[in-house]
């Protein structure tokens, strides 16, 4: 199994930046695709970004494309989400996810079988 521990959430002003980190345990981390999802109050969980096992491919939700960047450092067993030009609409709990499934894609929650605890991101003036 893999355990995911998230950090980096907080309060930022509109237009600001924040970087989330997700530290993964286990020697099999590099074999997992990784994703970020978010859930705002009263909203369904939304796909944010994903990265392939090798890091060679990345995927983004339409609402964050051009502003957010996902990356991974397999030597540190860590995946990152760099968030720039933040908007109040980005306020949500952000969840890190890992998936070992084959053939399930990247965009939906059932593509992943391990989840972090979530970290709160609040964008407000």
């Amino acid at each position: 199994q893999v355990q995911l521990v998230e950090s980096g959430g907080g309060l930022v002003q509109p237009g600001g930046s924040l970087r989330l980190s997700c530290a993964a345990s286990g020697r099999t981390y590099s074999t997992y695709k990784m994703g970020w999802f978010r859930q705002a109050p009263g909203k369904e969980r939304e796909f944010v970004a994903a990265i392939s096992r090798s890091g060679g491919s990345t995927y983004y939700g339409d609402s964050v494309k051009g502003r957010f960047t996902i990356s991974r450092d397999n030597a540190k067993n860590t995946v990152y989400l760099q968030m720039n030009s933040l908007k109040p609409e980005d306020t949500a709990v952000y969840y890190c996810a890992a998936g070992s499934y084959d053939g399930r894609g990247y965009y939906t929650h059932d593509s992943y079988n391990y989840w972090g605890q979530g970290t709160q991101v609040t964008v407000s003036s």
Side-chain angles (χ1 to χ4, degrees):
Q1 297 185 351
V2 61
Q3 181 180 355
L4 306 176
V5 180
E6 302 170 344
S7 62
L11 174 65
V12 296
Q13 295 185 357
S17 297
L18 201 64
R19 189 176 80 160
L20 305 182
S21 298
C22 175
S25 66
R27 295 181 179 180
T28 60
Y29 162 79
S30 63
T31 70
Y32 289 80
K33 60 188 176 186
M34 302 295 294
W36 288 95
F37 290 75
R38 67 187 183 185
Q39 189 165 24
K43 303 291 186 179
E44 295 183 351
R45 189 167 296 187
E46 176 189 21
F47 171 77
V48 176
I51 189 166
S52 62
R53 296 176 179 183
S54 67
S57 299
T58 57
Y59 310 86
Y60 297 95
D62 290 340
S63 63
V64 306
K65 188 172 296 184
R67 300 188 297 121
F68 291 10
T69 303
I70 187 171
S71 62
R72 66 190 299 164
D73 186 340
N74 287 348
K76 297 181 178 179
N77 288 357
T78 302
V79 63
Y80 305 95
L81 184 68
Q82 178 66 48
M83 304 184 293
N84 298 327
S85 301
L86 283 163
K87 306 174 181 179
E89 307 93 273
D90 296 318
T91 296
V93 177
Y94 284 71
Y95 297 91
C96 177
S100 61
Y101 302 128
D102 292 328
R104 293 196 180 187
Y106 295 90
Y107 297 102
T108 58
H109 66 91
D110 57 2
S111 300
Y112 306 90
N113 49 332
Y114 299 98
W115 293 83
Q117 79 286 350
T119 184
Q120 176 71 47
V121 172
T122 302
V123 185
S124 177
S125 60

